[in-house]
Amino acid sequence: MIPIQYSPEVQVAKDASKAIVALESTIITHGMPYPQNVETARLVEADIRDGGATPATIAVLAGTLHIGLTDAQLDQLGQAQDVAKLSRADMAACIAMGGTGATTVAATMIAAHLAGIEVFATGGIGGVHKGAETTFDISADLHELAQTPVTVVAAGAKAILDLEKTYEVLETLGVPVIAYGQDSLPAFWSATSALQAPLRMDDAASIGRAHRMRAAMGLPGGQLIANPIPAEAQIPAETLAPIIAQALAEADDQGIAAKAVTPFLLGRIFELTEGASLTANIALVRNNARLAAQIAGSLAS
């Protein structure tokens, strides 16, 4: 048996078949310092409630998979040290050994599906890292999207990645990539990019119908909804390009690899943008949560 526990709020929503939106927890443990991490998590949860859905922040605490965290648990996780960063490969091992871990996109999708939650809001997905043709550094998020039937709302793939290769892999894996309200794919901190979106939808109901149709057709996997950051909060791509290049060069010089790469790059870009990247990150996560609440509401109705 899987040791799984629902927060009181999520349990009430499940019992009443109400809309629920899953949220990851690595953004709390590996994305921001305390107390800003917890403050942001509570803002995102409030955005989902304001949208008529119930937030379910997911994490593994002392060997139990938690679907939804209480205020006390959220505060505890926000201050915890040496929390594991869980993906498909190590999630079961962490639970089996009684460990504590924060869930990445892939792990959150797995947990959401186990809990019967169909929609998940995050910041940006992982993908193909620059130089992957020699390092083979490709996020498990891409394969998770190809096999786990959860609709993921993100501001596209993280801008530190090789975006063209990331979307090529998603196409090969048969994952629908749907830009929300525009014809180009967003680039995380930037609202637009030079990449044309393979699909476009302009309302939550259409996204919900596409989710249901995939299930009806027996197609595996989920959908990636690429939701652009609000224009007033974005950082132009041309401003970011040299900063990302510098952070990548520093990571390479310092031999940083595997799971340590993304936290290092995001932290260094925060420093080089004098905090602007974090402000943009909070804006895009909240924007994704609001759209995810609409999609979850559409599916619930």
Side-chain angles (χ1 to χ4, degrees):
M1 292 290 290
I2 303 166
I4 187 166
Q5 183 174 323
Y6 297 94
S7 70
E9 182 184 16
V10 171
Q11 188 64 62
V12 167
K14 274 182 65 67
D15 291 345
S17 299
K18 298 288 189 182
I20 303 173
V21 174
L23 296 167
E24 62 159 287
S25 47
T26 51
I27 198 168
I28 299 168
T29 57
H30 293 76
M32 302 177 196
Y34 181 83
Q36 191 170 29
N37 54 355
V38 174
E39 291 166 359
T40 300
R42 291 198 171 113
L43 282 173
V44 173
E45 289 193 344
D47 288 328
I48 290 170
R49 292 187 190 100
D50 290 345
T54 297
T57 299
I58 291 171
V60 175
L61 303 177
T64 295
L65 177 59
H66 284 260
I67 310 296
L69 300 178
T70 64
D71 268 352
Q73 289 168 336
L74 192 58
D75 209 60
Q76 172 194 344
L77 186 65
Q79 298 179 73
Q81 301 295 313
D82 300 319
V83 176
K85 184 180 178 184
L86 302 179
S87 192
R88 170 171 279 268
D90 43 20
M91 186 179 187
C94 180
I95 295 170
M97 295 188 295
T100 291
T103 54
T104 60
V105 168
T108 306
M109 289 182 72
I110 292 167
H113 183 49
L114 283 170
I117 299 170
E118 299 177 289
V119 183
F120 161 38
T122 186
I125 64 161
V128 180
H129 281 264
K130 293 180 187 292
E133 59 271 18
T134 55
T135 65
F136 291 90
D137 191 351
I138 300 173
S139 172
D141 296 354
L142 304 186
H143 283 276
E144 207 60 55
L145 277 159
Q147 62 187 312
T148 302
V150 173
T151 286
V152 178
V153 183
K158 293 184 176 75
I160 57 175
L161 302 168
D162 188 321
L163 297 183
E164 289 186 275
K165 288 187 176 67
T166 295
Y167 291 116
E168 283 290 346
V169 171
L170 286 171
E171 181 182 16
T172 299
L173 294 174
V175 176
V177 177
I178 302 165
Y180 183 70
Q182 64 183 37
D183 294 322
S184 74
L185 288 167
F188 197 56
W189 293 302
S190 308
T192 60
S193 74
L195 299 173
Q196 185 79 3
L199 295 164
R200 170 180 172 163
M201 293 184 187
D202 296 337
D203 59 88
S206 297
I207 295 167
R209 286 195 299 271
H211 179 101
R212 287 275 181 261
M213 187 58 67
R214 286 185 65 80
M217 294 175 70
L219 294 170
Q223 306 180 120
L224 175 62
I225 311 306
N227 185 34
I229 182 174
E232 66 274 11
Q234 74 169 328
I235 305 173
E238 58 269 21
T239 302
L240 282 168
I243 291 171
I244 292 171
Q246 180 180 337
L248 285 165
E250 291 176 8
D252 192 48
D253 289 346
Q254 295 176 40
I256 293 166
K259 286 187 177 184
V261 172
T262 297
F264 171 84
L265 292 175
L266 295 179
R268 193 69 187 101
I269 290 165
F270 168 79
E271 293 168 356
L272 293 169
T273 60
E274 298 180 342
S277 64
L278 180 56
T279 301
N281 205 15
I282 293 168
L284 66 84
V285 171
R286 295 187 66 186
N287 191 49
N288 295 340
R290 290 188 285 267
L291 176 58
Q294 293 178 41
I295 298 167
S298 173
L299 288 169
S301 62

